[in-house]
Amino acid sequence: MSTRHDTAAPPEKEGGAAPAARGGAAPPTEAETRRRLRQSRRWQRDVRWSPYAFVSPFFVLFIAFGLFPLIYTGWASLHTVELTAPTDMDWVGLRNYTRIFDDDFFWNAAKNTLTIGIISTVPQLLMAMGLAHILNYKLRASTFYRVAMLAPYATSIAAASLVFVLLFGRDYGMINWALDAVGINPVDWQNDKWPSQIAVSSIIIWRWTGYNTLIYLAAMQAIPQDLYESAALDGASRWQQFLHVTLPSLRPTILFTVVVSTIGASQVFGEPLLFDANKGASGGAEHQFQTLGLYLYEQGWINQHLGRASAIAWTMFLILIIIGIVNYVISRRLRASS
Amino acid sequence: MTTTLTKPPADAVPEPSKRSRLPKSARAGGTLHAGPIAYIILALFTIGSLFPLVWTAIAASRDNNRLAQTPPPFWFGSNLFNNLEIAWKDANLGEAFFNTTFVAGVSAATVVILSTIAGFAFAKLRFRGRGALMLLVIGTMMVPPQLSVIPLYMMVAKLDWTDQLQAVILPSLVSAFGVFFMRQYLIQALPDEIIEAARVDGASSWRVVWHIVFPAARPAMAVLGMLTFVQTWNDFLWPFLVLTQTGNPTVQVAVAGLGRGYTPDQSLIMAGALLGTLPLLIVFAIFGKQIVGGIMQGAVKG
């Protein structure tokens, strides 16, 4: 950060905001000096404290609605708390944690979150990368493609999930109809394990690919053109240029999108909730696409065990921290090796 | 799509011509022309993006019986307005629209103002603890909202705010992304000299914010406002937990309620989904270019 404006402070001898002193020929009167001193003090106070005034609303709100709840969730996870009487808390230590770890549905949900996360994030980011590469060419109507690809981002989870339920319908859905047209047997997208997870992932992919494409495109446009020119002069083919110029330059952006998508994937909730034909929170009759987010909701709001739900929330948080650390280590390795 | 479909030679050496010196605004593409395959891929993805939206409208314009047949309908029927009217009434959408507009408007305005002044402090002012506090801001972006949901719910239940809009508004007033976004913008867009000049003229910090920072940040504020509005409008988890469909629903809660009721009428559900999405799609059709530019701007410097 080279931008600091400490130079904006007035020269010390002047002693304050500028309009006070003019010329300097006549010696200032007693009152004048005091006035200037006062002004100078006010000025210094302003410079010193106003930055804190500017950032404090954010932190006050963050502490109230982010940090405090985060810690309180940890506290609640060590108690038995029921939804019906959220103020009655009985200390149980780590029992909530052992309890959910013993629950097969927890591990099932953890596994589903992982698989749905992978089959939604990996294709999404790969497609976004390819699309960004294409959009980086000289194109006619390039703004149109960008806006069209971003349109799903403006669609809500609720609306998108309901539409996809219909598209993936077993008997009359558009997708099975199209599969039938090319001679593939209909798939039970809501009740079979892998098809239902693919269907839930496709909602996520549909909503977020355009957004990630734009992020990659922006990073690609920031790569200096000379890098490509010198690579081309060295005889690098287009593919080699992509591999040796584009990808390394995009490394920080790729890392950023991976982290953001991972956080998003760990919290998937609305899509599986609304994709369920039985209108429940179990993620299908066999829990085949119940995610951790949905399991948390089921424990807390359906079964009314807020303490157990808090334990799930904190477990998710710890998993994310581990993923964050792994990411950080990998990125440092990558930077060191290049 | 007729004239410039010239495919560049495989190993095209980009001429070090004026072309590479073109300003790389969000509008200007790269230097090489795209071939026909690129256009085909783009066309396929554009169709994939828009098809579910168009099909929502098609399904909403049919009746339930027609939707339960193969092949599914590919063109509009005549039931659209009828379905929209019933969905509007069934899902209490009028009230939901009012609620959501209010919630999204208040949080967008607050997020924009708070983020701008905080972003300005982080971008241009020097104070002790700046680096650590900024790191904390970035760190908060990593905290999943689901973690805070349970105590927030307890708070809301205790205050008797369930079904009240303030329960939805308060947690959405703060956005770490917003602070980060404004900081990135102001580092570049606001020359230090202007602030210095104002300071030398004796302007207080608040005057600098009001007369210099806000005008300079206006384009970024508009983009952040739109992004926040879209996000709050589409928010699902928290409104779903604190609001019920009968008392003060937001659009998303109301639309989700259509799908979760035991009404099997799919065309009505699609009509509700269409109504819930339409306002944002209209905003997108008008401001799409600016929103795209804003997302890209936030991305590069991040």
Side-chain angles (χ1 to χ4, degrees):
Chain A
M1 304 301 115
S2 56
T3 46
R4 313 202 136 148
H5 95 287
D6 37 337
T7 43
E12 256 147 60
K13 270 179 251 150
E14 285 267 342
R22 283 282 175 278
T29 63
E30 180 90 343
E32 175 81 347
T33 320
R34 245 182 304 153
R35 200 176 63 80
R36 266 205 260 162
L37 205 71
R38 220 177 24 243
Q39 227 167 25
S40 148
R41 261 195 241 117
R42 198 189 308 148
W43 205 90
Q44 266 167 2
R45 258 205 311 275
D46 182 27
V47 167
R48 180 129 183 231
W49 295 111
S50 59
Y52 297 106
F54 292 156
V55 298
S56 57
F58 170 82
F59 283 102
V60 168
L61 285 170
F62 168 67
I63 289 168
F65 298 111
L67 195 63
F68 164 72
L70 172 71
I71 294 164
Y72 197 85
T73 305
W75 181 243
S77 75
L78 304 173
H79 293 78
T80 300
V81 197
E82 297 299 311
L83 184 75
T84 41
T87 40
D88 295 340
M89 294 171 66
D90 288 326
W91 175 268
V92 289
L94 291 173
R95 196 161 355 126
N96 282 324
Y97 289 89
T98 51
R99 187 112 183 216
I100 57 168
F101 289 155
D102 282 342
D103 187 351
D104 286 343
F105 291 128
F106 170 80
W107 294 107
N108 171 61
K111 239 183 287 170
N112 289 345
T113 309
L114 183 73
T115 49
I116 290 175
I118 290 172
I119 56 180
S120 64
T121 306
V122 174
Q124 181 193 139
L125 294 183
L126 287 178
M127 285 194 301
M129 178 69 73
L131 284 172
H133 185 70
I134 292 174
L135 284 171
N136 202 20
Y137 286 126
K138 265 212 172 326
L139 279 173
R140 320 193 105 219
S142 63
T143 311
F144 167 74
Y145 303 120
R146 292 173 200 188
V147 174
M149 276 174 201
L150 199 59
Y153 168 79
T155 316
S156 69
I157 289 178
S161 305
L162 294 178
V163 177
F164 276 71
V165 167
L166 262 190
L167 290 176
F168 278 109
R170 188 190 61 191
D171 296 326
Y172 308 108
M174 174 90 54
I175 292 178
N176 271 350
W177 173 81
L179 289 179
D180 188 54
V182 293
I184 300 173
N185 284 334
V187 178
D188 193 347
W189 294 104
Q190 278 184 318
N191 292 318
D192 291 347
K193 187 169 178 99
W194 283 105
S196 63
Q197 294 201 0
I198 291 172
V200 169
S201 303
S202 70
I203 308 173
I204 304 168
I205 294 174
W206 179 71
R207 281 188 72 221
W208 289 102
T209 302
Y211 183 86
N212 284 307
T213 303
L214 289 185
I215 293 190
Y216 285 145
L217 178 61
M220 283 180 188
Q221 293 192 342
I223 301 172
Q225 199 56 42
D226 346 354
L227 287 180
Y228 290 105
E229 285 168 16
S230 54
L233 285 176
D234 289 344
S237 70
R238 295 271 288 283
W239 175 242
Q240 284 171 324
Q241 290 180 25
F242 179 76
L243 228 53
H244 297 292
V245 179
T246 310
L247 277 186
S249 314
L250 287 186
R251 209 174 277 154
T253 314
I254 294 171
L255 195 75
F256 171 77
T257 53
V258 168
V259 170
V260 170
S261 313
T262 309
I263 295 175
S266 72
Q267 300 164 32
V268 171
F269 168 74
E271 292 91 345
L273 177 80
L274 295 172
F275 194 74
D276 193 348
N278 302 322
K279 326 278 184 201
S282 58
E286 313 271 305
H287 297 248
Q288 64 269 30
F289 52 90
Q290 185 176 42
T291 58
L292 281 175
L294 208 49
Y295 179 67
L296 181 150
Y297 171 73
E298 191 185 33
Q299 286 295 328
W301 275 265
I302 309 282
N303 301 343
Q304 315 208 325
H305 301 311
L306 283 182
R308 238 176 275 168
S310 304
I312 300 165
W314 257 80
T315 311
M316 288 167 66
F317 186 46
L318 293 179
I319 295 173
L320 270 182
I321 290 176
I322 293 169
I323 292 175
I325 293 171
V326 169
N327 256 315
Y328 178 74
V329 170
I330 292 177
S331 70
R332 284 205 41 174
R333 281 273 168 76
L334 283 175
R335 214 174 302 153
S337 70
S338 64
Chain B
M1 273 206 228
T2 46
T3 46
T4 57
L5 290 184
T6 45
K7 199 171 160 46
D11 285 332
V13 178
E15 292 284 324
S17 63
K18 302 115 229 161
R19 210 169 252 166
S20 58
R21 244 158 247 127
L22 279 173
K24 290 208 177 51
S25 68
R27 241 168 302 137
T31 48
L32 292 168
H33 285 276
I37 296 172
Y39 281 101
I40 293 171
I41 296 174
L42 282 178
L44 288 178
F45 271 94
T46 306
I47 292 170
S49 277
L50 298 181
F51 177 74
L53 297 171
V54 175
W55 197 76
T56 310
I58 292 175
S61 72
R62 294 287 182 161
D63 67 65
N64 199 36
N65 295 332
R66 179 62 190 83
L67 285 181
Q69 283 171 28
T70 33
F74 284 98
W75 195 245
F76 297 92
S78 54
N79 249 347
L80 181 62
F81 291 103
N82 191 23
N83 284 338
L84 291 179
E85 203 183 320
I86 300 174
W88 180 269
K89 281 186 196 141
D90 268 17
N92 204 3
L93 274 174
E95 199 190 341
F97 267 109
F98 176 80
N99 288 341
T100 318
T101 313
F102 181 70
V103 168
V106 170
S107 52
T110 323
V111 162
V112 165
I113 291 170
L114 293 186
S115 300
T116 307
I117 56 174
F120 162 66
F122 281 122
K124 297 287 172 180
L125 302 181
R126 223 172 74 126
F127 55 97
R128 280 186 69 146
R130 181 174 79 159
L133 287 178
M134 192 62 219
L135 235 125
L136 190 63
V137 171
I138 294 173
T140 62
M141 290 204 276
M142 311 280 235
V143 180
Q146 283 176 347
L147 264 171
S148 352
V149 153
I150 293 161
L152 284 180
Y153 187 86
M154 291 172 166
M155 267 153 73
V156 166
K158 204 168 172 184
L159 291 167
D160 230 356
W161 279 2
T162 13
D163 276 350
Q164 305 289 308
L165 289 183
Q166 63 263 37
V168 184
I169 293 175
L170 276 173
S172 67
L173 291 181
V174 53
S175 159
F177 168 78
V179 175
F180 183 70
F181 181 83
M182 290 312 301
R183 170 180 171 266
Q184 300 303 87
Y185 182 81
L186 286 173
I187 282 178
Q188 270 218 334
L190 188 61
D192 291 350
E193 291 79 20
I194 298 183
I195 310 170
E196 280 165 31
R199 284 312 223 159
V200 170
D201 286 346
S204 70
S205 301
W206 294 104
R207 279 180 74 101
V208 170
V209 166
W210 187 253
H211 291 290
I212 295 173
V213 178
F214 279 161
R218 205 175 291 154
M221 287 166 90
V223 169
L224 180 62
M226 282 188 283
L227 290 178
T228 314
F229 193 90
V230 170
Q231 214 183 340
T232 321
W233 181 285
N234 283 337
D235 214 0
F236 183 65
L237 172 68
W238 178 239
F240 177 76
L241 290 181
V242 285
L243 303 177
T244 55
Q245 212 193 328
T246 41
N248 274 325
T250 61
V251 172
Q252 304 317 326
V253 176
V255 169
L258 273 177
R260 291 173 69 76
Y262 286 85
T263 36
D265 196 330
Q266 302 290 353
S267 57
L268 281 189
I269 296 176
M270 288 300 104
L274 183 66
L275 282 172
T277 312
L278 214 51
L280 284 195
L281 286 181
I282 292 171
V283 169
F284 236 66
I286 300 171
F287 296 107
K289 218 163 130 182
Q290 282 83 349
I291 295 177
V292 165
I295 289 178
M296 290 182 60
Q297 199 165 37
V300 192
K301 295 170 221 148

